Each structure stands twice: as C-alpha cells, then as structure tokens.
Amino acid sequence: MSDVLSKIERELVIKYIFHERPQIVLKRCFDLDDSNKNTVFSPLQIDGSLYTIQDENIILKRTPNSRVLADNSPVIVNFYYKGRAMYFESRYCHANAFFIIPINEKICKFLEKTNGIYDYLTCLITPINDELPSAPDIDDKTKLSAFTKKCITNENFLLFDDSIDKFIQNDDAQFQITQSVIQKFFSFDFHSQNNIQNRVLPPIILFISEKFLLVASENDFFRFEMGEDYKIEISIPQVFITRTIECTAVCSKIVTDSIDSEKKCFFFDFKDLKPEDTRFLYEKSHQEKYV
C-alpha cells in the first residue's frame, strides 16, 4: 500500500535527497509488452556517494563495473526519508558517460502496519559452548534443530506501541516498557490462540534495542542458560531488502512467571554490535537520529 506525497512534502524529500544522499535501491519493473519481462534483475543498492542530483535527476557515473540496464528501462527507486520508506517510478536513461534517473512528480510513501519497524523479524540464537561437539554454523540449516533456537515476532506482542514516546523522553522508561510487556506475556492465554492442538510455539521476540534483546517462551521446550554466551543472528525484513545483524550476547537475566513456571523471559545483552548496527537499532527503536 502507498500514499502519494503532497507538493510541499515532495519538496522536503527532494531537499533531503539532495543534501543527505540516502542509499537508494533500484528495482527493475516491466511494461506489459516488454520482451525482457522474464529477465531476472536483482535489486541494485546505490550508496549516496555514487550519485549526484541535478535538476531533479539522479545522475550515476558510468564505470567499467556498472550494472547496465537497457536505455529507458522502467525502474522503481526505493529509499528512506528519515526512517520512512519511500519510492517513485522512473526510467533508467543512458547519456554518454552517465545514467540518468528522473525523479517522478509522484513520490509515494509506504503505508505500514504497526510502526513498520520490525514486522516479521526473526532471530537465531545459538549457544557458544566449548562442551558441544561442534558449535553449529548458522548457515548450515541441517544443524539448526540441534542447538539453534529460532525466535519470531507475534502479532499479539507489537515490539513498539504508544509507549515508545516515553522511551524516547526517558531512559528509565525502557525498564517500564519491558516490565509491561513481560506482564502481558505472562497473562496471555496462548492455548486459545493456538490453532493446532499441542503445537509447541517458538520463542517470541518481545523487545529489541541497541543494548539488548528480550525473548520469551511459554514452555520448557525452549531454554537459555543464565550467564551463557550466545551467537545471535537477527533478520529484519524491510520494505526493499532484509537487514542481517550478527553479534554475540550474554543471557543476563531470566524472569519466571509466578503462576506458570514454564513461562520465562530471557534478556540478552549485546556484546559486540557493529557501530552501524548500533546506530540502526537505536534509530529504529528511539525514532530519532543517533548522535
């Protein structure tokens, strides 16, 4: 779903692209009578340093390594404006030593569910333990069932809601938010939501920030050990591409429901996040620029 920007909004976005040079992603689209419509063209990511803006045109310098589309090929240009997904339709035009992509009069923003921040996020958690025969490689899918636990988001537990405003204004609110979502998890009736009898539900991701990950399990099938280190792989599908974050984390705290002891929440403190991942998670969770 999308929504067309107003004239004033469009002007602000154009200025943002001109000054900030956000990364753009090109997707090939096809006319109904296009003879190349069955050709595969994977999305092309273009860093802001590789293009300029002139007269509302994106100018790409042609290099020996340039991925070339046919002249006048229809494309969709995707980018983020202050964290919000935008796109416009255009043409990929050849001009001597450059490629030109005109900025369409209609720039659209995606209408997102919830906050559009972490829909369908998944996380793989693997123990780092010298006593294991061999710590499984995340990429080896045949070993996932042995040690790796896959955690998912759940529509009943949105990672962010109206309380995010408090979180931005007050660092102590992070504690309040996590306590609130933990209590909601402990009181939630999973059996009434389970459409398959006796199905074991995977761990649920309740909260994530640039500092820690909060995961919950409603059964004893999934367990994590206090004080142990784990390999974390987080996949965050975005509008255009999926971002993958890899790091290690320690299980720093376990909270057990006082009524149902099988229900537990696990805190994982990140240990070695890359600077760009710290920035990404901060800006997505706080909804403000990372300084």
Side-chain angles (χ1 to χ4, degrees), residues 37-165:
K37 62 185 177 182
N38 293 322
T39 302
V40 175
F41 180 82
S42 56
L44 173 61
Q45 298 182 46
I46 302 173
D47 190 75
S49 62
L50 301 179
Y51 69 85
T52 58
I53 303 294
Q54 295 181 17
D55 299 325
E56 296 196 0
N57 293 300
I58 296 174
I59 310 296
L60 302 174
K61 186 175 181 180
R62 188 194 295 258
T63 69
N65 297 322
S66 295
R67 288 173 59 188
V68 180
L69 285 172
D71 187 25
N72 206 38
S73 294
V75 294
I76 295 178
V77 181
N78 304 291
F79 63 97
Y80 284 97
Y81 169 70
K82 296 184 177 181
R84 183 66 185 268
M86 305 274 178
Y87 77 95
F88 60 86
E89 297 180 359
S90 188
R91 293 279 172 173
Y92 189 87
C93 306
H94 295 198
N96 298 323
F98 301 92
F99 301 111
I100 299 176
I101 305 171
I103 299 177
N104 199 314
E105 283 296 320
K106 291 184 178 181
I107 298 178
C108 303
K109 57 187 175 183
F110 284 88
L111 298 180
E112 302 164 295
K113 300 182 303 179
T114 65
N115 301 35
I117 298 176
Y118 292 131
D119 288 342
Y120 310 114
L121 176 150
T122 60
C123 178
L124 300 178
I125 302 179
T126 305
I128 301 174
N129 189 332
D130 293 335
E131 297 179 2
L132 295 175
S134 60
D137 187 338
I138 285 290
D139 293 327
D140 186 348
K141 303 306 180 185
T142 62
K143 295 182 179 180
L144 287 183
S145 61
F147 304 121
T148 301
K149 298 175 177 65
K150 181 176 182 179
C151 310
I152 62 173
T153 51
N154 184 292
E155 62 183 3
N156 297 296
F157 298 92
L158 301 181
L159 291 179
F160 297 101
D161 54 26
D162 292 340
S163 59
I164 188 65
D165 294 331

Side-chain angles (χ1 to χ4, degrees), residues 169-182:
Q169 298 169 11
N170 182 0
D171 289 338
D172 292 337
Q174 180 168 306
F175 174 79
Q176 298 172 12
I177 293 170
T178 53
Q179 292 302 305
S180 174
V181 74
I182 286 173

